[in-house]
Amino acid sequence: MEQNKQNPTAENETLIVSRRIQRVSLHLAPVPRPLHEHDTQEQLGLFPCARSAKLEVETEKLSLYMRGKYREIQEKIYEYFHARPELQTPLEISKDDHRELCWRQMYGLIKEAGIRPLKYVVEDPGKYFAIVEAAGAVDISLGIKLGVQYSLWGGSVINLGTKKHKDKYFGGIDSLEYPGCFAMTELHHGSNVQGLQTDATFDPTTDEFIINTPSDGAIKWWIGNAAVHGKFASVFAKLMLPDHDAKGVSDMGVHAFIVPIRDLKTHQVLPGIEIHDCGHKVGLNGVDNGALRFTSVRIPRDNLLNRFGDVSRDGKYTSSLPTINKRFAATLGELIGGRVVLASSSTSILKIANAIAIRYSLLRQQFGPPKQPEVSILDYQSQQHKLMPMLASTYAFHFATSYLVEIYSQMKTTHVEQLVGDVHTLSAGLKAYVTSYTAKSLSVCREACGGHGYAAVNRFGILRNDHDIFQTFEGDNTVLLQQVAADLLKQYKQKFQGGTLAVTWNYLRESMNTYLSQPNPVTARWEGTEHLRDPKFQLDAFRYRTSRLLQSAAVRLRKHSKTLGGFGAWNRCLNHLLTLAESHIESVILAKFIETVEKCPDASTRAALKLVCDLYALNQIWNDIGTYRNVDYVAPNKAKAIHKLTDYLSFQVRNIAKELVDAFDLPNHVTRAPIAMQSEAYAQYTQYVGF
């Protein structure tokens, strides 16, 4: 008798299973439902200001405003893979099978779906980035493999070569007849590209370059497409020209060369080339990374990608750029598209994780008031604090990376020097900031879903492992943030010399003047909601912090340079400089978010975005409240008001969280999870948990 009281009856078990299935069905095909008695906000002791009316959000309008003109091409990719389930990556797959599947996925996109990315690399970079983002949402390995083929291998030929190279290689690269690699990184040199050791020595007797790997440390390492599929490689090497001095050759700096690595017909590795497989990795095992060693590999002189430097038949070097450093900067400047696509793709991965974690949290019920039904775990303040600021950041990153794509596209068509510098630094900063944030957030999302988040079907483990390397390739994040800090200091110097500031740094002129004066003791105490939600207050606070960090960094560097020299001073202040770079990027992100909100034509969509923007801004201020308190920029009462308002905004965003993640418009086969899935994935899930 006692046992019957403790155990649910078979009938109750059936009801529990039915209720769970019904809730998932309602999520997949939602219908409006009335507010039940047990759905009241008082359940969780929410403060009175949280009981305001829920914003009305039209998901379709919000999605259209976010995704804009590239929505159609992404839908085409999603629909293609939805119609081809055999091309969807299974949960359990070997390294070799994953590589072959990834090749078939890419081949299908090009040959069957008719997606031709290479022309968009040239004509419409924004559309190209949208293609890579959608492909990466299906399988991150596919997005990366596309990037290697079209952005790196294809992009190097287009951007570093001249007409003869485009005429010869464009069609083959575009059609996948010429699969290729981007051979820059070496075993001993990654970030320090100028330190590469591979050499390409010109032989005037045969009109050829001889490619050599002089040491084990010079082996090209982690080269995507090299282990299995690649037939060509853009090899970055020191260009060596024979001369008559004591050394015998002159080093003209790092250049790029087209080097065939496999026979086009037999696919056999060519003489003088050794290819080794880098093996199983933490993630991205659909990408065949390999190592390349060259032993006296001869290539025609025409295989030099000669946009920024050329060698004549008699061995004379010519360039429109006078120094090795300028040629090197121009070469790398043409390759920053990789950073742009990584920032955009990382934001896409963050959207997927948000969608899975938030939808799960809306449906998962745990505990509740005595003798009342359990409540959604997203009604708990702790869960809101984990996920709602992250959702706000996802929106902020989306608009910031969209702006980056926009100015990158402008740069590729106008070649305005000032814009080139702006894009170079902003792409470095956003790539570093967004990928680091996403890497941390993927773990938070997994934890927010409890034990179910640990099931492979819910994708968190796969996303986390595949995305982790985003923090390293296309520039280590710590190195990229130092580039941002260095440019900020350069702009700071120009400001006081009356120079022209780059577009993204214009705010420094005004905010530095504000910083150099004392904070206003009156505004430091203002705590009204209208003031705290004023974009001017939010942006001024962000920029004040950046200006303060910039001023103090300049002072510290000047002080330490006297005793430690330039390198030693930089290293002594390195953590300070990294914080400065992150602060600047946060200022840019907020500025673009505010601008996007103000431009939104639909009132209800604008109101929803304003709410999300306010949460992003005030949460960032609260996270660094110590900085603002230390300099009396924010008084104690104002700090408390910011904290309270952040809690309130988190709750309000929670009320429209479903609409906000639905606006990402991700198909079910992309967000495979127990709360956003196709029926097959749900069947797998029920087997995992024994329903």
Side-chain angles (χ1 to χ4, degrees):
M1 186 72 175
E2 189 68 21
Q3 186 177 358
N4 291 336
K5 288 182 180 179
Q6 292 177 356
N7 295 329
T9 63
E11 182 179 357
N12 285 339
E13 288 179 346
T14 302
L15 288 173
I16 290 171
V17 173
S18 298
R19 188 177 69 173
R20 290 182 183 272
I21 294 174
Q22 184 182 29
R23 289 183 67 83
V24 173
S25 300
L26 286 172
H27 175 74
L28 296 176
V31 294
R33 67 180 182 89
L35 189 69
H36 297 295
E37 292 178 356
H38 59 267
D39 287 337
T40 57
Q41 295 159 350
E42 284 83 351
Q43 286 178 14
L44 299 179
L46 298 167
F47 39 80
C49 63
R51 300 179 190 138
S52 57
K54 174 183 172 181
L55 283 173
E56 294 297 326
V57 182
E58 293 188 46
T59 303
E60 180 64 23
K61 288 183 178 179
L62 177 56
S63 181
L64 185 61
Y65 186 60
M66 287 183 66
R67 295 178 64 190
K69 60 182 178 179
Y70 302 123
R71 187 176 185 179
E72 184 177 343
I73 189 73
Q74 291 188 323
E75 290 295 338
K76 184 177 181 179
I77 293 170
Y78 292 145
E79 288 169 5
Y80 171 74
F81 283 104
H82 182 67
R84 297 289 303 273
E86 73 277 10
L87 292 181
Q88 295 178 27
T89 308
L91 294 178
E92 298 181 17
I93 186 170
S94 70
K95 168 178 65 67
D96 293 339
D97 288 345
H98 196 178
R99 288 174 171 181
E100 287 310 307
L101 174 61
C102 196
W103 171 259
R104 286 192 288 116
Q105 288 172 336
M106 184 166 69
Y107 191 87
L109 263 186
I110 307 307
K111 297 292 189 179
E112 296 176 9
I115 305 292
R116 289 300 179 96
L118 191 58
K119 71 174 182 178
Y120 299 127
V121 172
V122 180
E123 299 172 6
D124 189 352
K127 196 168 190 175
Y128 168 72
F129 295 141
I131 291 169
V132 175
E133 178 183 333
V138 174
D139 186 332
I140 300 178
S141 286
L142 173 59
I144 296 302
K145 197 169 183 70
L146 272 174
V148 171
Q149 173 68 13
Y150 294 105
S151 182
L152 296 180
W153 155 234
S156 62
V157 173
I158 292 170
N159 295 316
L160 301 181
T162 50
K163 185 178 183 299
K164 62 182 178 183
H165 301 110
K166 297 170 191 174
D167 291 344
K168 183 175 181 179
Y169 293 100
F170 188 100
I173 295 172
D174 190 41
S175 65
L176 283 183
E177 292 178 29
Y178 293 170
C181 318
F182 184 80
M184 177 181 281
T185 299
E186 295 179 355
L187 187 59
H188 284 179
H189 288 88
S191 298
N192 183 14
V193 180
Q194 280 188 296
L196 295 180
Q197 297 175 5
T198 302
D199 56 62
T201 304
F202 182 63
D203 182 354
T205 61
T206 61
D207 197 26
E208 294 174 318
F209 285 102
I210 305 170
I211 312 295
N212 265 306
T213 302
S215 66
D216 288 348
I219 296 172
K220 297 295 183 180
W221 205 265
W222 293 124
I223 309 305
N225 276 359
V228 178
H229 298 122
K231 297 188 178 188
F232 294 87
S234 292
V235 177
F236 287 77
K238 296 183 295 183
L239 195 163
M240 313 298 287
L241 286 180
D243 58 26
H244 303 289
D245 64 13
K247 295 182 180 179
V249 290
S250 294
D251 182 354
M252 307 309 296
V254 174
H255 289 63
F257 302 82
I258 296 175
V259 181
I261 60 174
R262 289 185 173 94
D263 187 273
L264 283 174
K265 294 181 178 179
T266 66
H267 203 63
Q268 294 298 307
V269 177
L270 294 174
I273 294 172
E274 295 177 45
I275 302 178
H276 300 276
D277 196 323
C278 287
H280 199 277
K281 308 183 292 292
V282 171
L284 294 180
N285 283 298
V287 181
D288 51 311
N289 293 90
L292 300 173
R293 182 194 287 271
F294 305 97
T295 304
S296 299
V297 175
R298 289 179 172 268
I299 59 172
R301 177 170 55 89
D302 278 351
N303 282 28
L304 166 66
L305 294 172
N306 61 339
R307 178 179 171 187
F308 298 116
D310 202 2
V311 176
S312 64
R313 178 65 184 86
D314 58 358
K316 292 182 180 179
Y317 185 84
T318 57
S319 174
S320 59
L321 301 171
T323 66
I324 287 179
N325 286 341
K326 286 188 178 296
R327 291 194 292 270
F328 177 75
T331 298
L332 291 193
E334 287 299 322
L335 303 175
I336 60 176
R339 295 174 185 173
V340 179
V341 77
L342 281 184
S344 177
S345 297
S346 184
T347 302
S348 175
I349 293 165
L350 188 56
K351 290 176 188 175
I352 295 170
N354 269 261
I356 296 171
I358 289 172
R359 287 172 176 170
Y360 176 86
S361 298
L362 284 165
L363 293 177
R364 179 69 167 177
Q365 295 178 327
Q366 291 290 287
F367 307 108
K371 299 181 180 180
Q372 292 190 36
E374 293 181 310
V375 299
S376 164
I377 61 173
L378 198 55
D379 284 335
Y380 289 97
Q381 190 181 62
S382 57
Q383 193 79 342
Q384 292 170 15
H385 278 196
K386 287 178 184 177
L387 298 178
M388 295 304 97
M390 186 192 302
L391 178 57
S393 294
T394 305
Y395 267 79
F397 297 166
H398 170 85
F399 294 122
T401 54
S402 296
Y403 167 72
L404 176 60
V405 169
E406 179 185 333
I407 62 172
Y408 174 82
S409 300
Q410 291 175 9
M411 180 201 76
K412 295 298 289 182
T413 55
T414 64
H415 302 288
V416 175
E417 185 175 351
Q418 188 175 352
L419 193 58
V420 171
D422 205 32
V423 171
H424 184 270
T425 307
L426 186 57
S427 63
L430 277 175
K431 182 269 181 184
Y433 189 91
V434 172
T435 58
S436 292
Y437 184 95
T438 298
K440 297 181 181 73
S441 298
L442 287 168
S443 290
V444 173
C445 287
R446 204 292 302 159
E447 293 165 13
C449 292
H452 293 320
Y454 201 61
V457 70
N458 297 329
R459 291 200 74 184
F460 291 125
I462 297 168
L463 292 173
R464 186 169 55 187
N465 289 348
D466 284 352
H467 175 273
D468 194 61
I469 194 61
F470 280 39
Q471 300 172 91
T472 302
F473 59 24
E474 293 295 330
D476 176 86
N477 283 357
T478 302
V479 175
L480 294 182
L481 288 174
Q482 289 180 71
Q483 291 181 16
V484 177
D487 207 41
L488 278 166
L489 288 161
K490 177 183 175 183
Q491 299 287 338
Y492 173 80
K493 182 179 179 181
Q494 289 183 355
K495 179 219 180 307
F496 288 103
Q497 292 178 345
T500 302
L501 297 177
V503 176
T504 309
W505 285 262
N506 277 334
Y507 74 86
L508 287 174
R509 190 180 304 281
E510 181 179 345
S511 59
M512 281 302 301
N513 293 334
T514 303
Y515 166 67
L516 292 174
S517 61
Q518 291 296 316
N520 187 324
V522 177
T523 56
R525 298 187 60 80
W526 286 354
E527 57 180 278
T529 299
E530 185 177 350
H531 166 67
L532 296 179
R533 296 189 67 176
D534 183 349
K536 186 178 187 309
F537 158 70
Q538 297 164 2
L539 199 52
D540 283 350
F542 275 50
R543 290 172 169 177
Y544 180 90
R545 179 186 55 171
T546 303
S547 298
R548 179 178 181 274
L549 287 164
L550 179 55
Q551 167 75 5
S552 54
V555 171
R556 288 187 65 202
L557 285 169
R558 189 160 50 243
K559 171 188 172 184
H560 291 304
S561 294
K562 295 176 182 177
T563 55
L564 301 176
F567 181 85
W570 187 269
N571 194 37
R572 174 67 65 85
C573 302
L574 187 52
N575 288 336
H576 186 157
L577 295 165
L578 297 177
T579 304
L580 164 65
E582 289 174 341
S583 177
H584 168 66
I585 294 302
E586 287 171 359
S587 298
V588 174
I589 291 170
L590 178 59
K592 293 305 156 190
F593 201 168
I594 291 171
E595 182 181 312
T596 303
V597 172
E598 292 173 345
K599 288 181 177 179
C600 182
D602 179 68
S604 63
T605 302
R606 186 167 61 251
L609 290 175
K610 177 67 168 69
L611 176 66
V612 177
C613 184
D614 288 341
L615 176 58
Y616 172 75
L618 293 176
N619 184 70
Q620 292 296 116
I621 292 172
W622 174 250
N623 286 342
D624 200 21
I625 198 66
T627 296
Y628 295 106
R629 285 289 302 116
N630 284 342
V631 295
D632 293 325
Y633 191 85
V634 170
N637 66 307
K638 189 169 187 173
K640 184 177 179 181
I642 291 171
H643 188 202
K644 185 176 180 180
L645 183 55
T646 303
D647 283 346
Y648 167 65
L649 294 174
S650 288
F651 175 81
Q652 290 292 74
V653 171
R654 174 261 179 268
N655 277 341
I656 59 171
K658 182 184 183 302
E659 291 83 351
L660 291 172
V661 296
D662 285 351
F664 296 153
D665 208 13
L666 297 167
N668 291 335
H669 63 277
V670 168
T671 54
R672 292 193 298 268
I675 36 61
M677 62 183 66
Q678 50 197 357
S679 58
E680 180 184 353
Y682 184 68
Q684 291 176 316
Y685 171 70
T686 54
Q687 291 172 13
Y688 272 106
V689 298
F691 282 174

